[in-house]
């Protein structure tokens, strides 16, 4: 009987110990959850907290580690499936050979159930959390947040079911039934906002109601969403690029399948505006959502042109060949028989190189056959740009910027007034190599220029340049102390080879007495080589370091392919030109000694905001000698019936109107100035109150005096001025003063302008003036303007290979300002004035003629209202007193859409254009366009 009592007592004690352990671990877990979730209220257990005996064992056993099926302990760190936990026995055990206590470590293995999750679930709630132990559910209230792996769920109210692994989130509404806060589900780049979300953590499948999501530029709304992994199925919704809850427009669908950041494919679809359906139904919809390049058709634009007829422009195909190369092919087709094609491949390899090639061919037909103004012309044009990353091959660079083609190509390009008036076109291709640690530099280049008005084309290729940087032959290898004066003696070398070819594209080569094209090029080719060896010496300053001395010696040779001979033709009464081919050497040498210093002057003000004026004068004076080592090439030719003669150099054909020798021994002089002001600000105090203002950045003059000439010793005096007034107006001016009197034909006489009784400084024989300014209002939203500028800069600055693309974009924006409208700026105005005049010797040497060009460029715009903006730009020729080009644009801001009306009433092509299109780039081809053009000279 006593034995049974002992057994009963042991059972009772075991049950009591189990109960105590259960309550202890349960409240430890509850306290742990409350600590990590930040609950202000205590956990409330519903129903009976004492589970059955079997459940007690099941819940008690894994309390020291994570049981991922129990959300009540879900925020305890996870362990691997082959779980072994080390349990430290705190009862000391004393071994026989030691008096120090040690800890005994026991281990055991714990296997997790197959339906457990791969990671713990972390959750928190601002209001409260309710854990139902026997049903395995957790209820969260008030701005809840639940995290599982890369999933984040936020909602006003959340229910989690441990057995089914389903988490349910719902929205909250006010007393009027208006939604105050929606449930939001974020997984990676997927972001959903819904009224109700049910998601299975184990299978990664979910259902949502009244949901919208965003993928790149597309917003997708649907009554029901079904998510399976990264694929989403939706029904009864709209897809749009408008970010409003009630979008202005969209494409209505019944069913759609969305692969995140790849593609969205729908069934029958039709557009709608302001929820009004448009009766345009398509059997399916295909919306690419992935970022980057995609092959596909390019939609055309419908146009009407009086000279070309009805046409489709821009029809073509864009093909992505691989990660590095893509090709864009477009064509224009007109009803009068004209057409044009363009093939533009582009290539790019990160951190190596990038480039773009464009070939355009036009077969232009003005009017139809039989019309008296019928004209047929074929022209072409080639553009190529290439740049190399400097990190690809240090010390080596290669760049190309080619623009070449028919001289009449720009004349027949419609809807581009800037191209119609672009007469000067140039190209350059350059390769440069420098050797690290060595003073050698090599440059290979090819250049091209053409005048579309005169139709003259010049080619300079190949051009070879080789140089050796300055070497100091007397310098010690190890510098100790102050270097000697002769150790600063340096010598360098500069060599170049050039070849030039000129021709007109109007000539019919091989016919009518004109040589074949290849032979014509060989006959007109002109090559030369130049060698120059400069010797420099850096001497210490004198006069307490205020005067710098700069001596120099230079020797060079020019190797010329041919010489020029001018001869007077008594029959034709003109000067004929002939060439003598061979190898001719021209030698040059010069000796110079220069002195330069700087003088400062300050004028102080009292009781004025102007604190002081500072004037800096930098005078330079030098003496040089240049012997004439090529007297045999200086010749004289008669130029008119009055027996007037001029001297010319047979090497190069340059004329010397007033010199009988190229020998020079004289003085060079120049004075440079700048003027600054210190100003005290009205607003700031302390150091910030004083501000330096540059009144004139630089102004001065240069000239020389030749002691060896018997007359006309003083050269023309060149004046210049540079300034930025009020940090707004940029001014640059230059002028050339002729200090002599002149005869009736404009030739200089031996008398100075101030001789003969009246004082005159001379005659202005040439000059230029350019002024530019820009004004704009303050941005309505300064932060938005900063963000815009930052995005523009970052879009290209992160990849140096995109700098060429950035420059092309900036050029396009300057040429087409009407396409880039900024409503954040209320008004802006840009003005520029250019004036140039010079005197040029007439072709028959009978005198001089003056050339004057002057123009005003203007552009600007202002907001008629917060949604309407008026912009204009133009070009006015002051010489002809005629407006050459003028473009007017009206833009309408329509949130997710934009409308523009462009009118060009002046220029060779007068046209108007109306365009309405979405702003999103993914729908850039979805536009309504109407264009009408008229041609006139």
């Amino acid at each position: 009987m006593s034995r049974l009592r002992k057994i009963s007592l042991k059972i009772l004690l075991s049950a009591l110990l189990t109960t105590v352990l259960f309550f202890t671990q349960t409240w430890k877990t509850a306290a742990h959850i409350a600590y990590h979730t930040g609950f202000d209220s205590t956990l409330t257990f519903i129903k009976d907290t004492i589970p059955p005996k079997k459940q007690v064992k099941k819940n008690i056993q894994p309390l020291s580690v994570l049981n991922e099926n129990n959300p009540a302990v879900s925020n305890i760190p996870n362990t691997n499936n082959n779980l072994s936990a080390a349990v430290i026995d705190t009862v000391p055990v004393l071994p026989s050979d030691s008096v120090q206590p040690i800890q005994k470590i026991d281990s055991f293995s714990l296997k997790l159930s197959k339906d457990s999750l791969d990671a713990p679930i972390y959750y928190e709630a601002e209001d409260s959390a309710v854990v139902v132990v026997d049903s395995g559910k957790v209820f969260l209230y008030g701005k809840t947040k639940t995290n599982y792996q890369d999933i984040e769920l936020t909602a006003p109210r959340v229910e989690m079911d441990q057995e089914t692994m389903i988490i349910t989130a719902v929205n909250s509404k006010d007393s009027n039934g208006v939604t105050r806060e929606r449930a939001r589900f974020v997984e990676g780049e997927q972001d959903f906002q819904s009224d109700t979300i049910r998601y299975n953590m184990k299978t990664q499948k979910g259902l949502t109601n009244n949901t919208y999501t965003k993928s790149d530029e597309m917003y997708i709304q649907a009554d029901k969403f079904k998510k399976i992994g990264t694929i989403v199925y939706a029904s009864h919704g709209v897809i749009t690029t408008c970010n409003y809850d009630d979008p202005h427009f969209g494409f209505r669908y019944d069913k759609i399948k969305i692969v995140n950041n790849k593609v969205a494919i729908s069934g029958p679809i039709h557009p709608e505006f302001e929820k009004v359906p448009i009766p345009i139904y398509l059997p399916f919809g295909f919306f690419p959502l992935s970022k980057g390049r995609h092959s596909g058709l390019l939609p055309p634009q419908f146009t009407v042109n009086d000279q070309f007829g009805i046409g489709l422009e821009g029809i073509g195909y864009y093909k992505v060949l691989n990660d590095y190369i893509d090709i864009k092919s477009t064509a224009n087709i007109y009803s009068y028989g004209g057409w044009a094609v363009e093939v533009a491949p582009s290539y790019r390899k990160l951190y190596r190189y990038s480039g773009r090639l464009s070939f355009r061919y036009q077969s232009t037909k003005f009017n139809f056959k039989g019309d008296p103004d019928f004209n047929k012309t074929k022209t072409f044009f080639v553009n190529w740009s290439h740049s190399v990353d400097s990190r690809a091959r240090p010390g080596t660079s290669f760049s190309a910027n080619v623009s070449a083609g028919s001289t009449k190509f720009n004349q027949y390009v419609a809807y581009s007034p800037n191209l119609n008036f672009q007469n000067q076109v140039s190209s350059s291709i350059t390769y440069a190599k420098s050797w690290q640690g060595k003073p050698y530099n090599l440059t290979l280049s090819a250049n091209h220029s053409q005048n579309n008005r005169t139709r003259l084309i010049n080619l300079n290729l190949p051009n070879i340049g080789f140089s050796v940087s300055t070497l100091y032959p007397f310098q010690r290898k190890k510098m100790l102390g102050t270097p000697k004066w002769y150790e600063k003696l340096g010598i360098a070398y500069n060599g170049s080879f050039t070849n030039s070819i000129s021709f007109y594209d109007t000539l019919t080569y091989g016919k009518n007495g004109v040589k074949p094209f290849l032979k014509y090029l060989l006959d007109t080719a002109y090559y030369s080589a130049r060698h120059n060896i400069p010797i420099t010496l850096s001497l210490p300053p004198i006069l307490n370091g205020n005067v710098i001395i700069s001596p120099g010696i230079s020797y060079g040779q020019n190797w010329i392919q041919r010489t020029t001979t001018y001869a007077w033709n008594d029959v034709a009464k003109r000067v004929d030109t002939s060439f003598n081919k061979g190898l001719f050497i021209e030698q040059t040498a010069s000796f110079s000694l220069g002195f330069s210093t700087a003088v400062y002057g300050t004028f102080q003000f009292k009781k004025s905001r102007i604190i002081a004026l500072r004037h800096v004068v930098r005078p330079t004076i030098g003496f040089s000698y240049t012997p004439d080592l090529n007297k045999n090439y200086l010749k004289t030719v008669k130029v008119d019936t009055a027996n007037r003669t001029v001297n010319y150099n047979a090497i190069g054909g340059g004329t010397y109107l007033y010199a009988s020798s190229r020998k020079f021994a004289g003085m060079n002089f120049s004075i440079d100035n700048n003027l600054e002001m210190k100003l005290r600000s009205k607003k700031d105090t302390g150091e910030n109150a004083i501000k330096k203002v540059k009144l004139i950045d630089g102004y001065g003059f240069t000239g020389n005096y030749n002691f060896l000439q018997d007359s006309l010793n003083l050269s023309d005096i060149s004046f210049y001025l540079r300034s930025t007034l009020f940090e707004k107006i940029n001014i640059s001016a230059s002028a050339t003063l002729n200090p002599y009197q002149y005869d009736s034909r404009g030739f200089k006489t031996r008398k100075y302008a101030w001789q003969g009784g009246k004082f005159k400084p001379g005659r202005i024989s040439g000059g230029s003036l350019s002024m530019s300014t820009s004004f704009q209002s303050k941005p309505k939203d300064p932060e938005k303007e900063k963000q815009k500028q930052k995005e523009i800069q970052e879009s290209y600055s992160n990849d140096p290979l995109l700098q060429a693309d950035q420059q092309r974009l900036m050029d396009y924006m300057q040429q087409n300002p009407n396409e880039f409208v900024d409503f954040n700026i209320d008004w802006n105005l840009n003005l520029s004035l250019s004036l140039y005049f010079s005197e040029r010797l007439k072709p028959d040497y009978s005198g001089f003629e003056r050339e004057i060009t002057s123009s005003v460029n203007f552009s600007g715009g202002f907001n008629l209202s917060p949604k309407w903006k008026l912009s204009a730009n133009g070009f006015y020729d002051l010489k002809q007193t005629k407006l050459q080009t003028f473009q007017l644009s009206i833009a309408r801001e329509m949130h997710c859409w934009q409308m523009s009306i462009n009118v060009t009433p002046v220029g060779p092509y007068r046209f108007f254009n109306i365009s309405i299109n979405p702003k999103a780039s993914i729908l850039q081809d979805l536009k309504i366009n109407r264009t009408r053009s008229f041609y006139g000279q």
Side-chain angles (χ1 to χ4, degrees), residues 292-338:
R293 304 169 300 164
H294 308 281
S295 300
L297 294 172
L298 300 176
Q301 176 177 310
F302 178 79
T303 62
V304 177
N305 190 297
D306 279 359
Q307 281 67 39
F308 301 156
I310 301 173
L312 293 176
E313 295 181 342
I315 185 172
Y317 190 80
Y318 176 76
K319 175 64 177 178
V320 178
L321 297 180
N322 51 44
D323 293 339
Y324 310 106
I325 303 175
D326 56 75
I327 300 177
K328 179 182 178 182
S329 303
T330 58
N332 303 335
I333 304 173
Y334 304 98
S335 60
Y336 288 168

Side-chain angles (χ1 to χ4, degrees), residues 787-806:
Q787 183 65 23
K788 175 185 175 182
Q789 298 298 330
K790 182 179 178 181
E791 290 176 356
I792 294 176
Q793 183 177 2
E794 290 181 350
S795 62
Y796 293 97
S797 60
N798 293 334
D799 189 351
L801 297 180
L802 298 180
Q803 294 178 356
D805 294 339
Q806 183 185 24

Side-chain angles (χ1 to χ4, degrees), residues 201 283 287 378 382 441 616 682 860 931:
M201 297 290 190
F287 302 90
K378 294 182 179 180
V382 177
N441 300 280
V616 182
K682 290 183 179 180
T931 302

Side-chain angles (χ1 to χ4, degrees), residues 463-642:
N463 298 329
I464 304 174
F466 180 78
S467 64
V468 179
S469 302
T470 304
L471 302 176
Y472 299 92
F474 303 108
Q475 192 177 72
R476 288 168 290 177
K477 293 183 178 179
K478 294 183 179 180
M479 294 295 298
L480 295 175
T482 304
K484 305 296 182 181
W485 66 269
Y486 56 82
E487 291 183 302
K488 296 182 179 181
L489 181 68
I491 184 171
Y493 169 78
N494 298 307
S496 64
F497 173 85
T498 60
N499 179 59
S500 62
I501 302 172
S502 301
F503 61 93
Y504 291 89
D505 71 346
T506 57
L507 296 179
T508 306
Y509 297 96
K511 298 180 180 180
N512 301 325
V514 181
K515 299 177 182 179
F517 183 70
L518 182 59
K519 188 175 181 180
Y520 181 89
L521 293 183
L522 294 177
D523 288 344
T524 59
Y526 177 77
Y527 63 82
S528 63
R530 300 178 184 274
H531 309 272
N532 185 33
I533 302 176
I535 301 175
T536 59
L537 178 63
S538 299
L539 297 179
I542 61 175
L543 300 178
N544 297 325
N546 294 320
V547 179
I548 299 174
I549 305 176
S550 303
I553 301 174
S554 176
Y555 174 78
Q557 285 188 353
N558 299 330
W559 297 354
I560 310 298
Q561 172 215 5
R562 69 188 183 191
T563 59
T564 304
T565 300
Y566 297 132
W568 173 255
N569 190 329
D570 290 325
V571 178
K573 306 299 181 183
R574 67 182 185 186
V575 177
D576 293 335
T577 304
S578 61
F579 302 100
N580 302 315
K581 292 188 176 182
L583 179 61
F584 307 92
I585 299 178
E586 179 187 32
Q587 301 183 78
T588 61
S590 65
F591 306 88
S592 63
L593 179 64
F595 302 88
S596 62
T597 185
V599 181
Y600 302 87
T602 303
F603 184 80
Q604 303 286 343
F605 290 87
K606 295 181 178 180
K607 297 180 180 181
S608 174
R609 287 186 56 210
I610 301 176
I611 300 175
L613 288 177
R614 185 189 186 192
H615 182 205
V616 182
V617 183
R618 296 181 179 88
T620 301
I621 186 171
F623 299 92
S624 63
Y625 172 69
T626 303
D628 190 355
L629 304 179
N630 307 278
K631 295 181 180 179
N632 296 333
Y633 294 118
L634 188 63
K635 299 182 179 182
T636 304
V637 60
K638 176 183 174 181
V639 296
D640 56 21
T641 57

